Amino acid sequence: MIGKLNHVAIVVPDLAAAGDLYRDTFGARVSAAVDLPEHGVTTVFVELPNTKIELLHPLGADSPIQKFLQKHPTGGIHHLCYEVDDIEQAARRLTGKGMRILGDGKPKIGAHGKPVIFLHPADALGTLIELEQA
Ligand code: CO
């Protein structure tokens, strides 16, 4: 069911410094920062030949990643995103197998303008997984 690894997301304390690290030190292609107020994050995407790295920083007072940054002040890996063909079908299959979808269980429009869901980390080896309809 799951397809390509769409991105690995890293929460960072300083988005500009993180972008500089990937651009200047690692020599990768790095996007401009984009605010996503409905998700409480600002994102920068690093384009790699086979996948992307999503650099995330909290936006607003009740950002869902604020606590994560407090626990990991130097930054840390936050989630993996796998592509699926049909998000509704994927959600039905996974909930049918007892997995929990975060929030109200309904797909939301994610950072690429495509529907996404997040799965409870306790149901997936301690890893927060985002599924994105490709
Ligand atoms: Co993501």
Side-chain angles (χ1 to χ4, degrees), residues 35-87:
D35 288 342
L36 298 172
E38 68 276 24
H39 293 279
V41 297
T42 303
T43 63
V44 165
F45 274 95
V46 180
E47 298 280 346
L48 303 178
N50 63 338
T51 190
K52 295 184 278 281
I53 305 297
E54 182 182 64
L55 304 174
L56 293 174
H57 188 75
L59 174 67
D62 33 54
S63 169
I65 60 170
Q66 188 64 57
K67 255 207 210 121
F68 184 92
L69 191 55
Q70 278 158 9
K71 264 170 74 181
H72 307 274
T74 62
I77 293 180
H78 184 258
H79 66 267
L80 303 177
C81 177
Y82 302 121
E83 295 180 3
V84 294
D85 291 332
D86 182 330
I87 197 93

Side-chain angles (χ1 to χ4, degrees), residues 6-9 45 54 56 79-81 111-112 116 118 130 132:
N6 186 278
H7 60 266
V8 176
F45 274 95
E54 182 182 64
L56 293 174
H79 66 267
L80 303 177
C81 177
H112 310 110
V116 303
F118 285 89
E130 177 181 21
E132 178 179 295

